[in-house]
Amino acid sequence: MADRLTQLQDTINQQAEHFCNSVGILQQYSTPSKFPGFDRIGTPQPHQSQEDYASLFATLIARCAKDIDTLIESLPSEEASQELQVASLSRLEQENQEAGKQLEEVVRQGEALLQRIQAALQDIAQSQLDMQNPASTAVLNINLNPAMTFKQENLSSTNSVPSNNVHQLSSSSPSSMNQ
């Protein structure tokens, strides 16, 4: 919420907009006047209800003027003593300090709760990893056992592809590829 002076300035700007728009509507829908000695044949413009616009802008301008008066009356008067203003400011400062202390306490509680949640999530993630991979931990234990060794050449021979097939595909004629 803005302070009273800002509200007053915004309302005055709004009143200026209402005046400007009302003059624009009057210019737009007014009938042209004839000048003596100057005959110009023009096309007649359709007449729209100017009374609706007049009553609308009259209502808007009156309401805005009433708002301006209300805002002016709510401003502090010059009669307010310096002591009252100082007392009001000290009361506001005290409320601000209390709100700051409450905010600090809420932040501390939030940080503690965040740490508890992060620890719980870490425990859950670790439990899920342990449950998903019980075989992988057993394989790691077997591979770490020095008594059991596997021959590397047996594993590589089962995964290799004979190179003859590759040469046959590359040496085939282009006519056989088109078929």
Side-chain angles (χ1 to χ4, degrees):
M1 183 98 194
D3 63 315
R4 295 282 184 217
L5 287 177
T6 305
Q7 289 177 344
L8 181 61
Q9 183 63 46
D10 291 342
T11 308
I12 291 172
N13 288 341
Q14 187 178 18
Q15 183 76 314
E17 286 179 20
H18 291 321
F19 281 130
C20 182
N21 289 336
S22 64
V23 169
I25 291 293
L26 287 175
Q27 287 177 347
Q28 182 178 1
Y29 292 110
S30 65
T31 56
S33 299
K34 297 195 182 230
F35 293 106
F38 184 74
D39 291 332
R40 180 175 177 197
I41 301 173
T43 59
Q45 296 180 352
H47 295 286
Q48 294 187 357
S49 170
Q50 293 180 10
E51 294 173 7
D52 294 337
Y53 292 122
S55 65
L56 171 70
F57 280 109
T59 304
L60 290 174
I61 290 170
R63 186 179 303 144
C64 199
K66 194 175 197 178
D67 291 343
I68 289 172
D69 287 340
T70 305
L71 286 171
I72 289 173
E73 289 174 5
S74 70
L75 290 173
S77 66
E78 293 177 12
E79 298 153 1
S81 68
Q82 189 75 10
E83 294 90 22
L84 289 175
Q85 291 179 359
V86 169
S88 175
L89 286 175
S90 65
R91 181 181 47 84
L92 289 174
E93 185 177 344
Q94 183 181 7
E95 290 175 4
N96 188 18
Q97 288 176 354
E98 290 173 8
K101 289 177 184 177
Q102 289 176 352
L103 180 62
E104 288 174 358
E105 181 61 30
V106 169
V107 168
R108 269 190 245 115
Q109 291 174 357
E111 288 174 348
L113 182 61
L114 178 64
Q115 288 176 355
R116 288 178 46 204
I117 290 172
Q118 286 176 343
L121 287 174
Q122 189 176 11
D123 291 342
I124 290 170
Q126 188 62 40
S127 298
Q128 286 180 344
L129 286 174
D130 291 344
M131 290 176 67
Q132 288 178 355
N133 298 326
S136 66
T137 56
V139 170
L140 286 175
N141 290 337
I142 292 172
N143 287 337
L144 293 177
N145 189 354
M148 300 183 74
T149 56
F150 295 103
K151 292 184 178 177
Q152 183 65 28
E153 57 193 42
N154 289 342
L155 291 175
S156 63
S157 65
T158 58
N159 292 331
S160 64
V161 177
S163 63
N164 293 341
N165 292 341
V166 175
H167 292 294
Q168 288 176 355
L169 288 176
S170 62
S171 64
S172 60
S173 66
S175 61
S176 65
M177 303 261 306
N178 290 336
Q179 295 175 355

